[in-house]
Amino acid sequence: MQLHSFFNSSASYRVRIALALKGLASDYVPVNIRAGAHRDAEYIDRVNPSAVVPALVDGEFALGQSLAIIDYLDARHPEPRLIPSEPTLRARVLEFAYLISCDIHPVNNLRILKYLDAVLHVTPEQKDAWYKHWIAEGMAGVERMLVRHGQGPWCFGGAPTLADCCLVPQIANAQRMGCDLTLYPLSLAAYRHAMEHPAFDAAQPNKQPDYLGS
Amino acid sequence: MQLHSFFNSSASYRVRIALALKGLASDYVPVNIRAGAHRDAEYIDRVNPSAVVPALVDGEFALGQSLAIIDYLDARHPEPRLIPSEPTLRARVLEFAYLISCDIHPVNNLRILKYLDAVLHVTPEQKDAWYKHWIAEGMAGVERMLVRHGQGPWCFGGAPTLADCCLVPQIANAQRMGCDLTLYPLSLAAYRHAMEHPAFDAAQPNKQPDYLGS
C-alpha cells in the first residue's frame, strides 16, 4: 500500500494513526500541499480525482477521504477494529468523528487560511481570531460529548477508535496555533493518553519523512 | 422517532431523504438555527450536546451528525440500504459523501457566512465570491469522481445511496445561491434523476413545516 500524505495534514495524520494501530506497512508518498502538489494533473489522474490528501493506493485501488480510508482498512484488516460494530458505541464514535471532521477541521484548514490571507486580506489578528473562534465553538461541543457519553482512558472506553484518530490531530493543530484548551479537560486527557501510545507517537507530523517544521 | 431539523439545513435535508427512502415516519421538530435555537440550553442538554442540527431521537437514544444518523438508520432499518456493504462500492460512496460533507458543505454553511458578515465585514460581493469559489473547487472534485467512478442513473448505479443523500442538498444550495453548475453535467444529471423520486421531493426545504422562504 501507498499512503499519499502531507506531514501537517490532519486528515493524513488520522490515516497514519489507523495504519500504525493496525500494524500495517505502507510506502509514504509525500504530497506537498503547501506547494500545491495535490493539484498536479498526475496526482489527480492517477491517485485522487478530488485533489486532496490523503489518498491510499492498495494495489489497483485508489481511495481518498480519510474516514473512507479508515472504514476500508477496518474491512480489510479488522484488527484492531477502529469503527466499532456494537450499534450504540458505533453511533457515538461516528458522531464524534464527524463533529471533528465535518464541523471543526474543514473551516480551519490550509486552503481556508490561505483564502483569508490572499483574497480577503485579513489581518494576522483577524486570522488568529477566526482560527480560535472555530476551535472554541467546536471543542465546546467535543467536550460536552465526552462529558455526556465518553468513557476513559480513550475517548470511548478501553480501546482506541476512530474518535481518537480524529481527536488527536485536531488537538495537536489547536495547540500548535496557540489555542487555550484548558476548558476541555476530558478532551485533553484523551489526547494525552493517546500520545503515550506508540502508534499515535509514530504518526505525528514531526516523525514523517516530509516534515518541514511547523 | 423525532427529527430535530431546520428546513434549510443541508445536513437535516440528508437525513430527511434517508428517512423518506426507508419509509420511516418521524415527528418533525423544528430548530430555527437562524434564530439560534440550536444553542438553547434545553436543546443542548436534552438532544444534542454539540449544538447543531440535525438530531434524531429514537426512544431514549439521541444522536447528532447527519452521516452518523444515516449509518444508524441503516443498521436499524436496513431496507433500502444506503451505505452499501459491498466493499468497493461502499468505499466510493463514503469517499463521495465525505467529499461533500467534509470538504464542501462546512465551508459555506450559515455560521460561516454569518461570521464573514458580522465579524469580517466582507462586502456582499466578497461573500458571494467566497461561496462560489468553494462550490467551484468542491464540485470540480465531485464531477471528476463521477467521471471516474460513477454509474447512472443515481451517483453510483441503479439505486440511491448516501452519495445521493449528500449530493442533492449540496446542488440545491448551490443553485439557490446562483452558482453556475453547467460545468458539472454528471452531477446535475444525478441530481435531476433524484428529484424525480418522491422521497427526494418530499424532503425538500420548501415541503417542510418550518419553511420560511429561501
Side-chain angles (χ1 to χ4, degrees):
Chain A
M1 289 193 291
Q2 285 182 334
L3 180 66
H4 295 254
S5 166
F6 184 60
F7 76 98
N8 222 18
S9 144
S10 289
S12 300
Y13 191 175
R14 294 173 197 148
V15 177
R16 296 195 304 256
I17 295 168
L19 288 167
L21 283 169
K22 290 174 180 289
L24 296 171
S26 63
D27 295 328
Y28 190 100
V29 183
V31 181
N32 186 338
I33 62 174
R34 283 189 195 157
H38 57 302
R39 298 177 185 281
D40 287 354
E42 189 174 329
Y43 181 72
I44 290 176
D45 286 349
R46 293 194 173 197
V47 181
N48 194 346
S50 57
V52 287
V53 289
L56 185 80
V57 178
D58 186 7
E60 296 296 306
F61 186 67
L63 181 65
Q65 291 294 328
S66 59
L67 301 187
I69 294 169
I70 295 174
D71 184 274
Y72 172 82
L73 291 174
D74 250 10
R76 297 269 295 181
H77 308 279
E79 294 301 324
R81 197 173 172 95
L82 299 177
I83 306 174
S85 52
E86 190 282 312
T88 304
L89 179 59
R90 176 184 183 84
R92 287 294 166 229
V93 165
L94 288 177
E95 180 184 21
F96 187 90
Y98 295 142
L99 175 57
I100 291 176
S101 315
C102 302
D103 287 359
I104 307 179
H105 171 253
V107 183
N108 275 342
N109 75 4
L110 181 63
R111 63 196 182 124
I112 305 294
L113 301 179
K114 276 188 170 179
Y115 191 100
L116 290 175
D117 268 339
V119 180
L120 294 180
H121 307 297
V122 302
T123 65
E125 292 73 25
Q126 285 176 315
K127 192 166 79 168
D128 187 61
W130 168 282
Y131 194 97
K132 290 176 176 168
H133 174 81
W134 302 117
I135 289 293
E137 179 150 310
M139 284 302 303
V142 164
E143 185 73 10
R144 283 193 301 261
M145 264 206 73
L146 290 179
V147 168
R148 186 88 49 94
H149 304 297
Q151 284 194 326
W154 299 90
C155 286
F156 292 99
T161 67
L162 178 67
D164 304 280
C165 297
C166 291
L167 178 70
V168 162
Q170 187 61 67
I171 295 264
N173 262 350
Q175 286 182 329
R176 188 166 52 87
M177 299 295 277
C179 298
D180 175 13
L181 299 176
T182 54
L183 288 169
Y184 321 116
L186 293 184
S187 307
L188 275 181
Y191 171 77
R192 288 181 182 135
H193 179 75
M195 292 313 295
E196 291 171 10
H197 190 291
F200 285 79
D201 180 62
Q204 285 189 77
N206 65 7
K207 306 266 168 99
Q208 306 317 307
D210 59 338
Y211 180 65
L212 296 169
S214 64
Chain B
M1 290 193 292
Q2 285 183 334
L3 180 66
H4 294 255
S5 166
F6 184 61
F7 75 97
N8 221 18
S9 144
S10 289
S12 300
Y13 191 175
R14 294 173 197 148
V15 177
R16 294 194 304 255
I17 295 167
L19 287 166
L21 283 169
K22 290 174 180 289
L24 296 171
S26 63
D27 295 326
Y28 190 100
V29 184
V31 181
N32 186 338
I33 62 174
R34 283 190 195 156
H38 57 303
R39 298 176 185 281
D40 286 354
E42 188 172 331
Y43 181 72
I44 290 176
D45 286 349
R46 293 193 173 197
V47 181
N48 194 346
S50 57
V52 288
V53 289
L56 185 81
V57 178
D58 187 6
E60 296 297 305
F61 186 67
L63 181 65
Q65 292 293 329
S66 59
L67 301 186
I69 293 169
I70 294 173
D71 183 274
Y72 172 81
L73 291 174
D74 250 10
R76 297 269 295 181
H77 307 280
E79 292 303 324
R81 196 173 172 95
L82 300 177
I83 306 174
S85 51
E86 190 282 310
T88 303
L89 179 59
R90 177 185 182 84
R92 287 294 165 231
V93 165
L94 288 177
E95 180 185 21
F96 187 90
Y98 295 142
L99 175 57
I100 291 176
S101 315
C102 302
D103 287 0
I104 306 178
H105 170 253
V107 183
N108 276 341
N109 74 5
L110 180 64
R111 63 196 182 125
I112 304 293
L113 302 179
K114 276 189 170 177
Y115 190 100
L116 290 174
D117 267 338
V119 181
L120 294 180
H121 306 297
V122 302
T123 66
E125 292 73 25
Q126 285 176 315
K127 191 165 81 167
D128 188 61
W130 168 283
Y131 194 98
K132 289 176 177 168
H133 174 80
W134 301 117
I135 288 293
E137 178 150 310
M139 284 302 303
V142 163
E143 185 72 11
R144 284 193 301 261
M145 264 208 72
L146 290 179
V147 169
R148 186 88 49 94
H149 304 297
Q151 283 194 325
W154 299 91
C155 286
F156 292 98
T161 67
L162 178 66
D164 304 280
C165 297
C166 291
L167 179 70
V168 162
Q170 187 62 65
I171 295 263
N173 263 350
Q175 286 183 330
R176 188 166 51 87
M177 299 294 277
C179 299
D180 176 12
L181 300 176
T182 54
L183 288 169
Y184 321 115
L186 293 184
S187 306
L188 274 181
Y191 170 77
R192 288 180 182 136
H193 180 75
M195 292 313 294
E196 291 170 10
H197 190 291
F200 285 78
D201 180 63
Q204 286 189 76
N206 64 7
K207 306 267 170 100
Q208 305 316 307
D210 58 339
Y211 179 65
L212 295 170
S214 64

